[in-house]
Amino acid sequence: MRKKASTNFENERFLEFNCPFITTLRFIGKRWKPAVLWKINEGIIRFNQLKKVLPYISDKMLSDTIAELESDGVIRKEIFDEIPLRVEYQLTEFGKGLLPVLEAMDQWGGKTIQEIRS
């Protein structure tokens, strides 16, 4: 966390509110966010299901990523009062707006991976 009086903080805030690329990256720019969003896009999903399809993410990183996405309004968490407790995640309408960006990244990345491998 940067000090609010620092030049870097001011620069980040300026870019975040004046540069569409930086604004987009704020919501999907960390390592695991696009993968988590892509999987949640496939339908309502639970934490353990995410862990199965993303086996290399640590529990803490997945928890932190989910918390950030929820805090940003990109996903919604629904808690069911059952034993054992059941928690499900789904995209919000706001989060669904990121799908065209993720689809473009998936297409470009898939094409690039094929080119690198050949």
Side-chain angles (χ1 to χ4, degrees):
M1 183 69 130
R2 298 194 193 281
K3 294 179 184 176
K4 289 186 177 182
S6 74
T7 303
N8 283 333
F9 180 82
E10 291 177 20
N11 289 341
E12 285 176 359
R13 299 302 286 178
F14 174 81
L15 287 173
E16 185 175 334
F17 292 108
N18 293 286
C19 178
F21 298 108
I22 299 300
T23 301
T24 304
L25 288 174
R26 175 181 177 263
F27 293 96
I28 62 169
K30 292 191 176 177
R31 179 184 298 182
W32 289 103
K33 280 185 176 181
V36 169
L37 287 171
W38 195 247
K39 291 303 174 188
I40 292 175
N41 171 51
E42 294 173 359
I44 297 170
I45 195 165
R46 297 173 72 180
F47 187 91
N48 287 336
Q49 292 170 311
L50 282 168
K51 276 294 291 178
K52 285 179 185 172
V53 295
L54 301 169
Y56 299 107
I57 191 171
S58 71
D59 287 355
K60 180 176 179 357
M61 182 57 69
L62 181 55
S63 293
D64 290 351
T65 300
I66 287 170
E68 283 184 34
L69 291 168
E70 185 182 10
S71 174
D72 287 341
V74 177
I75 65 171
R76 176 181 307 111
K77 173 171 74 172
E78 187 170 358
I79 302 171
F80 296 87
D81 190 20
E82 301 173 354
I83 298 176
L85 192 65
R86 181 169 52 116
V87 179
E88 295 178 344
Y89 304 97
Q90 62 185 344
L91 290 178
T92 62
E93 288 303 313
F94 178 70
K96 289 176 184 176
L98 289 167
L99 293 178
V101 176
L102 295 174
E103 289 168 359
M105 290 172 63
D106 180 61
Q107 290 173 5
W108 186 89
K111 179 182 170 195
T112 302
I113 288 169
Q114 287 178 347
E115 291 173 3
I116 290 170
R117 288 182 177 165
S118 53

